[in-house]
Amino acid sequence: MMTLRNGKTAAMLLAMGACLYGALPASADDRPPAPAPTADLSMVPQLKETPEQREARLKWFHDAKFGMFLHWGPVSISGKELGWGRYANRPWDIYGKMLPSEPDYEYDHLYQKFDPVKFNADEWVKIAQDAGMKYMVIICKHHDGFSMFDSKLTEYDIMASPYGKDLIKQFADACHKAGMRLGLYYSTRDWYNTDYLVGDNVKYDNWYRGQVEELLTNYGKVDIMWFDHVGGQNWGKWKFDELFSMIYKHQPQIIVNNRAARFCGPRTPEDKGPPSPEFQKMTDGDFGTPEQAIGNMDLKNSWESCITLVGGQWSWKPNGKMFTMERTLDTLISCVTGGGNLLLNIGPMPTGQIEDRQVLLLKQVGEWVTPHAEAIYDTRGGPFRNGKWGGSTHRGNTIYVFAKEWKGDTLTLGALPQKITAAKKLIDGTEVAFKQTDTGVELTLAAAKRIPFYTVIALTLEQAAQDGVVIDGAK
Ligand code: GLC
């Protein structure tokens, strides 16, 4: 029997594949035809939920606002970008050009040196908690094809590294222990697996679905499945009905981002488009993912901006230019007041640690966020249109105005239908002068009484503020 380099046997891989996709035959010769997998779309919430059921499933996500994205892997040894730092012809899948994939020998062997002995998942969770983050999303496999978890379906995984322990298991356990919501990132796009997009792609399609199934069955409750792009343009190369039916069989409450089928299409002569409108709806998932940009104010659709903290690079960039505290807070407040979430990306070092300067910055963010928690979490964005001046959130009878740029001592906002009965600085409860007319709301506060970054002012209203309504902000 062939023994693979990480001690897994070929039979183990086969057996695993077989238990995911049908029973293993007694011998290869009398192998019955493999039962056709059957997708059960009745379990897929995106296709059957009422708006109220959807809101109930996504409530925690809408309340959470702030999460940590973690990009790392053997590549962090080189300081290059994860996936994209692999200098090889990539099967360039977005535009359908399939260049031959030549391995990048150096990149593809970094795992042989990957030994993050200082990795401590509890510490990472604590760093995120101290920053005020409510969920974490970690790379399980990026475009470079390396599995950070113990996968029975490949030998190119963490078990083959000198470290030899399942990182995702430790991470998931730490999140569960701390009550931190857990998100798993999985890149369907794969530049290492030589089956990717080859022929009808069935082999790869089954294989990656098997890996996703491992992720959704071996690590307890998973709150977010964060896919990252497919390729080949052709919808016919992917069985998304099988994927979603499997996902919701194992994790009925899970939230999925909008990239499970991203880059299928635009239509080509071979591509017949999504097999049915259901496929489109399902794979659009639960939330949008503006990348390296703050999403536009949108109070109707769920969204989460993913943005790198250091140097525009996802994985560790030694000496990369880091966001300032002000820029980080601006990014967070713009997302929250605009009706979205921020997934702020950190690139841990090859040792398994997060750089001190990043830890410090995140701590400072938390020190600002914590006394303003009431205005951030469990709120909804708006009503005032956000902008350079700041923005607002609301919950029940309270609107929280995040005021940054004032004209002199005043801030003039659009007309509010509800009557304001009080205006107070959130941080210390001191009164803020306000004037409400049919044309707008004017808040007045001397510069000396404002606080760094944003002065948050709680407006008490006679009636509840409405969700999804946008009113003019400051000009
Ligand atoms: C893009 C990039 C990928 C990154 C991801 C995060 O898909 O290709 O490198 O991980 O965005 O949003």
Side-chain angles (χ1 to χ4, degrees):
M1 173 162 316
M2 186 171 74
T3 302
L4 306 173
R5 67 171 171 256
N6 59 354
K8 289 172 192 169
T9 61
M12 261 170 76
L13 297 184
L14 235 178
M16 185 65 195
C19 62
L20 290 166
Y21 295 106
L24 190 69
S27 90
D29 296 326
D30 56 347
R31 186 191 306 238
T38 44
D40 178 6
L41 295 189
S42 68
M43 323 263 287
V44 177
Q46 290 87 0
L47 299 178
K48 59 170 189 179
E49 276 171 345
T50 62
E52 293 72 32
Q53 288 168 328
R54 178 178 187 280
E55 175 52 31
R57 185 168 58 88
L58 267 70
K59 185 177 183 302
W60 77 262
F61 181 73
H62 292 151
D63 289 347
K65 311 296 180 193
F66 194 18
M68 181 186 279
F69 212 175
L70 289 149
H71 274 69
W72 76 316
V75 70
S76 53
I77 294 170
S78 70
K80 289 183 191 162
E81 180 61 300
L82 184 52
W84 299 96
R86 185 173 181 263
Y87 293 117
N89 284 337
R90 308 175 182 115
W92 182 243
D93 43 58
I94 297 178
Y95 304 109
K97 277 195 220 117
M98 290 284 294
L99 299 174
S101 182
E102 287 163 16
D104 175 336
Y105 187 86
E106 202 184 314
Y107 188 114
D108 292 348
H109 287 81
L110 286 169
Y111 76 93
Q112 292 180 341
K113 292 186 252 167
F114 188 52
D115 196 11
V117 287
K118 301 225 167 106
F119 170 67
N120 180 333
D122 297 322
E123 266 170 27
W124 285 15
V125 173
K126 175 85 171 50
I127 291 168
Q129 278 175 330
D130 288 351
M133 291 159 163
K134 304 291 182 191
Y135 63 106
M136 298 170 87
V137 181
I138 192 167
I139 301 296
C140 298
K141 188 200 78 171
H142 202 260
H143 314 334
D144 67 11
F146 184 77
S147 299
M148 298 288 274
F149 57 105
D150 180 2
S151 173
K152 300 289 180 284
L153 299 176
T154 181
E155 51 178 323
Y156 190 49
D157 71 353
I158 191 65
M159 305 312 282
S161 72
Y163 185 70
K165 287 187 289 273
D166 189 333
L167 291 165
I168 301 305
K169 171 92 175 73
Q170 298 174 57
F171 183 76
D173 288 350
C175 286
H176 291 141
K177 195 163 69 184
M180 175 66 77
R181 295 276 185 170
L182 169 68
L184 301 180
Y185 165 110
Y186 185 90
S187 170
T188 307
R189 168 195 278 158
D190 191 315
W191 295 326
Y192 182 89
N193 189 315
T194 49
D195 295 325
Y196 176 61
L197 291 180
V198 170
D200 59 10
N201 195 46
V202 166
K203 205 163 162 206
Y204 182 78
D205 187 54
N206 285 338
W207 178 81
Y208 99 89
R209 217 174 323 111
Q211 280 215 312
V212 175
E213 186 157 29
E214 290 184 321
L215 290 174
L216 298 181
T217 49
N218 290 340
Y219 303 100
K221 183 160 186 278
V222 181
D223 298 291
I224 299 179
M225 191 68 222
W226 216 103
F227 286 110
D228 203 13
H229 301 154
V230 298
Q233 288 194 311
N234 195 331
W235 282 85
K237 289 193 188 261
W238 307 97
K239 292 203 192 76
F240 296 118
D241 53 346
E242 296 290 341
L243 177 70
F244 274 76
S245 137
M246 179 274 289
I247 292 174
Y248 282 99
K249 181 169 89 188
H250 298 305
Q251 302 277 347
Q253 291 301 314
I254 203 168
I255 294 176
V256 180
N257 74 341
N258 66 342
R259 296 187 183 182
R262 182 61 71 81
F263 295 136
C264 278
R267 297 278 296 264
T268 60
E270 320 84 74
D271 187 7
K272 312 231 171 358
S276 74
E278 284 185 326
F279 275 61
Q280 184 76 63
K281 188 152 194 251
M282 188 167 72
T283 56
D284 281 346
D286 297 311
F287 63 92
T289 51
E291 181 175 317
Q292 296 292 38
I294 296 162
N296 294 328
M297 186 169 190
D298 180 351
L299 308 179
K300 305 264 187 236
N301 301 295
S302 308
W303 57 272
E304 172 201 70
S305 279
C306 49
I307 296 185
T308 51
L309 183 64
V310 176
Q313 179 163 306
W314 297 101
S315 50
W316 183 48
K317 185 169 187 180
N319 308 314
K321 192 159 181 266
M322 185 171 73
F323 273 16
T324 58
M325 163 73 175
E326 181 174 16
R327 174 117 191 243
T328 313
L329 261 192
D330 282 351
T331 306
L332 175 64
I333 300 308
S334 301
C335 288
V336 172
T337 57
N341 284 8
L342 171 64
L343 187 64
L344 185 65
N345 181 74
I346 306 298
M349 298 186 288
T351 55
Q353 294 158 298
I354 298 175
E355 281 183 339
D356 285 348
R357 61 174 180 154
Q358 298 185 41
V359 176
L360 186 65
L361 180 89
L362 291 173
K363 197 161 170 284
Q364 287 165 349
V365 169
E367 280 163 6
W368 193 92
V369 161
T370 305
H372 294 103
E374 181 190 325
I376 297 172
Y377 308 108
D378 312 337
T379 63
R380 295 296 174 263
F384 297 112
R385 181 169 296 288
N386 64 4
K388 276 188 74 187
W389 67 273
S392 67
T393 60
H394 65 275
R395 185 197 315 98
N397 282 28
T398 310
I399 291 175
Y400 301 95
V401 176
F402 290 74
K404 187 169 190 208
E405 287 181 6
W406 299 68
K407 289 229 168 78
D409 286 345
T410 59
L411 187 74
T412 308
L413 303 167
L416 197 64
Q418 301 87 353
K419 186 170 184 293
I420 303 174
T421 56
K424 287 180 181 165
K425 234 162 74 179
L426 184 63
I427 196 96
D428 56 14
T430 54
E431 304 273 342
V432 173
F434 69 94
K435 206 159 81 194
Q436 183 173 23
T437 65
D438 288 348
T439 55
V441 176
E442 205 178 272
L443 303 172
T444 305
L445 191 66
K449 295 193 170 163
R450 296 178 217 150
I451 65 161
F453 309 114
Y454 293 86
T455 303
V456 181
I457 299 163
L459 306 179
T460 309
L461 312 179
E462 234 169 44
Q463 301 92 20
Q466 272 181 315
D467 289 348
V469 172
V470 182
I471 297 169
D472 283 346
K475 294 281 180 303

